[in-house]
């Protein structure tokens, strides 16, 4: 029996080799007008001598396509461990294109060859795009969104793309208002977008073996939805940065990177279990991104991009601590939990304590950049915390907790910078009120000349005015200058090619006057190098995005440099006391001393009264900010209500729409009551 089974097995193998088999699937290309078009691929395999024939119908075959076919056949036969010289391969692609020249069908051809050799056709609901090497590695191609959309249009349910291409740029039609549709360019996560919009599964694959498991073995990898999209490709390494004045920031950046890596390690050691699998998966994905960002931060630190490294570490730590906190106390997802209220109260207490310390610290010629930056971070933390309290916390979501972790990280940064500067002594700095006022006036003038509706610009203006009300004039000038620089960068990016404009700016690199303008200048240099890298990789839209950010940072650095030059060029306020070995007091001297004491007492009284008025102005300003935020929220909710009411007219029996409308009306009522209370307090 054993001998018979062996003979039968040999006969089956011989039979499989002896007859031809055909495999078919869709492949896709992108036209010159940017439209994805389908083509049909057929692969015939026959016993033979390793001959390869390519039939593209009326299309002309390009050299890269011929090479791609050869690599695809080599990859498939290597994976199956068969001798390709024992077969003849006939590859046919029917396409409307006049010429087919490109490697993007390589993965699909390799899958069809694999299927033909195995005697299995590729399922008609599966397709793929990607360049393939002879060793089976899959490489990126262009137009993945357009190809995925074309695949959906012909009924494909599973679409394979090269690893690393899920985050892409797409032209998408959006209904801005009822009946008004406009095409907008957006950065999307194709895996998430395809699933939510078309119901199509998109999987990233690194090699042919991984693709084969999906196509022929039914494996379905997890389609991870990333919450944070990395800005660069992993293998991008910038050149060394120019570091002079910003060298003292290195210690702070090193600590932040260490803290971020520790936070990631601690989070990874915690086993997360939640009843909602979608929230659990989103948190796991964010931790992977956090790990990648912490690694990136360490690399950039070694290259001298201290602010860029700190920025990555900052984001990595937020995601890691969000994960760790929820992992340790899942009840944080319940707004009524004790753990959640404790975290909220602790954050508020930290804000109040730190405000007093920052208000009382002595700011001088040698520490003003540290103290001013600490106050700046504090204002951001308090601003965001007030917004969180304003929006409320009504549904379990990691997003709210992540925003709360962001507030706490801003407070950590403020404390670190405060500690860097509080013990540094130096000559007293001059009055900066006029400098701050002129910086704010300048950005307000800009607002009348160009569009500064960008949210980040508006926030910086609000922070500048808050700092001014506190009497933190350097911080006010810093934020106002940053807002002006952002606006200038946006205008240039809109009117010129961003990469060319940034290249021209970086070729005239100015000499920084302080720590922060050099940090931002090097941050701009990093984005410049990243933009050039993406340009070389053929990712033109990503290159433009990077260049736009680089322009913003360059002009922010330039405006901050002007502030620093004004401060450093101003004369110091020096207070000196001459020592005497003997003091004799006669009646006349006593009278002068008494008069001096009276004058000093009067000055102190005036300062106390001014401090009281300043505190009054601060509270008044906070009330104005709260009023503004509530009015903005009311307008947003009213708009949402109007949109829902329009939809209800079309679907009057839709219970979900009715429930959502009722919820929004209750929220609107709460906002209006809060606004009334604020106005009552102002009236009182």
């Amino acid at each position: 029996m054993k001998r018979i089974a062996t003979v039968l097995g040999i006969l089956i193998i011989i039979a499989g080799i002896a007859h031809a088999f055909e495999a078919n699937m869709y492949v896709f290309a992108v036209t010159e007008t940017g439209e994805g078009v389908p083509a049909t691929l057929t692969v015939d395999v026959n016993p033979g001598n390793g001959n390869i024939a390519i039939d593209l119908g009326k299309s002309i075959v390009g050299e890269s396509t011929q090479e791609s076919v050869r690599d695809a056949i080599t990859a498939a036969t290597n994976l199956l461990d068969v001798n390709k010289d024992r077969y003849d391969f006939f590859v046919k692609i029917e396409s409307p294109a006049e010429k087919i020249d490109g490697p993007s069908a390589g993965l699909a051809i390799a899958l069809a060859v694999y299927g033909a050799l195995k005697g299995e056709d590729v399922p008609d609901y599966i397709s793929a795009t990607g360049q393939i090497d002879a060793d089976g590695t899959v490489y990126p191609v262009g137009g993945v969104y357009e190809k995925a959309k074309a695949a959906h249009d012909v009924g494909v349910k599973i679409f394979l793309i090269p690893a690393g291409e899920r985050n892409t740029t797409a032209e998408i039609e959006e209904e801005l208002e009822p009946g008004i549709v406009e095409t907008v360019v957006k950065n999307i996560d194709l895996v998430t977008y395809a699933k939510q919009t078309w119901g199509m599964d998109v999987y990233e694959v690194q090699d042919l073996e991984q693709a084969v498991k999906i196509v022929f073995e039914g494996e379905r990898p997890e389609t991870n939805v990333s919450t944070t999209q990395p800005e660069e490709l992993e293998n991008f390494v910038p050149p060394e940065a120019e570091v002079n004045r910003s060298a003292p920031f290195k210690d702070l950046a090193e600590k932040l990177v260490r803290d971020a890596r520790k936070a990631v390690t601690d989070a990874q050691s915690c086993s997360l279990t939640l009843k909602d699998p979608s929230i659990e998966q989103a948190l796991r994905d964010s931790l992977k991104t956090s790990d990648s960002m912490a690694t990136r931060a360490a690399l950039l630190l070694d290259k001298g991009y201290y602010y860029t490294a700190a920025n990555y570490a900052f984001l990595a730590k937020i995601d890691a601590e969000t994960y760790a906190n929820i992992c340790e106390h899942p009840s944080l997802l319940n707004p009524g939990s004790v753990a959640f209220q404790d975290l909220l109260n602790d954050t508020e207490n930290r804000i109040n304590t730190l405000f007093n310390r920052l208000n009382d610290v002595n700011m001088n010629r040698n520490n003003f950049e540290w103290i001013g930056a600490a106050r700046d971070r504090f204002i951001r933390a308090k601003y965001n915390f007030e917004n969180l309290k304003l929006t409320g916390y009504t549904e379990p979501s990691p997003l709210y907790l992540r925003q709360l972790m962001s507030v706490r990280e801003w407070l950590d940064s403020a404390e670190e910078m405060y500690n860097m500067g509080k013990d540094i002594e130096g000559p007293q700095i001059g009055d900066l009120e006029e400098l701050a006022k002129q910086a704010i006036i300048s950005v307000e003038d800009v607002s009348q000349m160009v569009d500064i509706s960008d949210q980040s610009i508006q926030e910086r203006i609000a922070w500048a005015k808050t700092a001014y009300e506190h009497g933190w004039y350097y911080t006010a000038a810093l934020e106002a200058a940053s807002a002006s620089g952002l606006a200038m960068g946006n205008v240039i990016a809109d009117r010129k090619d961003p990469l060319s404009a940034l290249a021209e700016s970086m070729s005239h690199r100015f000499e920084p006057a302080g720590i922060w303008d050099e940090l931002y200048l090097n941050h701009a240099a990093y984005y410049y190098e990243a933009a050039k890298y993406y340009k070389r990789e053929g990712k033109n839209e990503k290159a433009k995005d990077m260049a736009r950010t680089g322009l913003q940072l360059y002009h922010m650095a330039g405006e901050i440099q002007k502030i620093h030059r004004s401060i450093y060029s101003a004369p110091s306020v020096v207070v000196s006391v001459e020592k005497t070995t003997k003091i004799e007091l006669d009646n006349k001297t006593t009278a002068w001393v008494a008069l001096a004491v009276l004058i000093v007492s009067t000055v102190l009284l005036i300062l106390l009264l001014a401090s009281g008025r300043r505190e009054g102005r601060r509270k008044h300003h906070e009330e104005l900010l709260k009023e503004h935020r509530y009015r903005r929220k009311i307008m947003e909710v009213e708009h949402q209500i109007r949109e829902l009411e329009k939809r209800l007219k079309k679907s009057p029996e839709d219970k979900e729409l009715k429930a959502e409308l009722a919820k929004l009306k209750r929220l609107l009522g709460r906002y209006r009551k809060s606004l009334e209370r604020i106005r009552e307090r102002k009236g009182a």
Side-chain angles (χ1 to χ4, degrees), residues 175-197:
E175 188 173 16
L176 304 180
E177 296 180 20
I180 300 177
V181 178
E182 185 174 315
T183 300
V184 296
V185 178
K186 295 183 70 174
N187 292 323
I188 63 167
D189 178 345
L190 184 58
V191 173
T192 304
Y193 182 87
K195 188 68 175 176
Q196 293 176 348
T197 309

Side-chain angles (χ1 to χ4, degrees), residues 9 14 20 46 73 92 94 100 176 186 233 324 382 476 497 519 527 544 547 556 561 590 596 652-653:
I14 292 172
N46 298 278
I73 291 170
K92 182 179 181 180
E94 294 184 19
I100 298 177
L176 304 180
K186 295 183 70 174
L233 298 179
K382 191 171 187 298
D497 172 62
L519 286 171
Y527 275 91
K544 286 182 180 179
M556 281 174 61
Q561 184 227 33
T590 303
E653 302 303 322

Side-chain angles (χ1 to χ4, degrees), residues 363-559:
M363 193 168 80
N364 57 58
R365 183 73 170 264
N366 296 335
N367 74 355
F368 75 92
E369 287 198 68
W370 292 116
I371 300 303
R375 289 170 170 174
D376 173 63
R377 271 64 183 168
F378 170 83
I379 287 172
R380 297 183 186 199
K382 191 171 187 298
Y383 178 89
N384 290 329
F385 187 69
E386 292 295 334
N387 277 338
L388 281 178
K389 290 198 299 183
L390 181 64
T391 56
Y393 183 48
T394 56
E395 296 179 3
S397 166
L399 179 59
Y400 186 94
L401 285 169
R402 188 185 186 281
Q403 292 171 328
L404 186 56
M405 289 300 114
S406 175
V407 169
R408 294 173 69 85
E409 287 305 316
W410 280 121
L411 291 174
D412 284 349
S413 294
E415 288 179 352
E416 291 290 346
M417 292 176 189
Y418 167 80
N419 290 331
M420 291 283 287
K422 67 182 176 68
D423 295 326
I424 297 176
E425 296 181 354
Q428 292 301 299
I429 199 165
D431 186 7
L432 303 179
E433 181 175 3
E434 188 60 28
L435 180 69
K437 184 188 293 184
Q438 292 305 318
I440 293 172
I441 290 173
S442 177
V443 74
E444 288 179 335
D445 288 341
V446 170
S447 70
Q448 298 303 312
M449 295 184 288
V450 299
D451 179 20
I452 60 167
S453 57
D454 188 310
Q455 182 182 354
S456 60
I457 297 176
Q458 292 296 325
E459 284 180 340
R460 288 177 184 276
I461 294 173
W463 297 336
K465 291 182 177 180
T466 299
Y468 188 85
E469 290 294 332
H470 289 329
W472 297 350
Y473 299 128
Y474 168 67
T475 303
L478 189 71
E479 281 297 0
S482 297
S484 294
L486 273 173
M488 196 179 304
N490 282 342
V491 170
I492 294 172
D494 288 339
R495 296 179 180 178
K496 299 181 179 180
D497 172 62
L499 189 51
S500 299
L502 182 57
E504 183 181 353
S505 297
M506 295 305 298
S507 68
H508 300 93
R509 182 182 170 115
F510 56 82
E511 183 66 30
I515 295 172
W516 292 101
D517 43 330
E518 183 172 283
L519 286 171
Y520 283 124
L521 187 58
N522 281 337
H523 202 30
Y526 171 76
Y527 275 91
Y528 175 51
E529 295 298 333
K532 290 192 294 183
Y533 176 83
Y534 275 109
K535 184 74 173 178
R536 291 194 299 269
E537 293 292 308
K539 297 180 179 292
N540 294 330
E541 289 303 319
K542 190 66 176 176
K544 286 182 180 179
D545 288 344
M546 287 287 176
R548 172 180 282 271
T549 302
L551 277 170
Q552 292 171 339
L553 290 165
Y554 178 87
H555 288 285
M556 281 174 61
E559 293 301 305

Side-chain angles (χ1 to χ4, degrees), residues 29-84:
V30 179
T31 66
E32 291 181 357
T33 59
E35 182 183 1
V37 294
T40 56
L41 166 69
T42 302
V43 173
D44 277 316
V45 178
N46 298 278
N49 303 308
N51 298 314
I52 300 173
I54 304 173
D55 180 6
L56 300 182
K58 296 180 180 179
S59 303
I60 301 171
V61 61
E63 186 177 338
S64 64
T65 299
Q66 297 178 46
E67 185 178 350
S68 178
V69 170
R70 288 194 291 269
D71 286 343
I73 291 170
T74 302
T77 52
N78 285 346
L79 185 59
L80 282 167
D81 196 21
V82 299
N83 186 351
K84 66 181 178 182

Side-chain angles (χ1 to χ4, degrees), residues 571-584:
S572 302
V573 179
V574 181
V575 179
S576 61
V577 178
E578 291 185 7
K579 294 183 180 180
T580 58
T581 55
K582 185 178 180 182
I583 299 177
E584 294 181 359

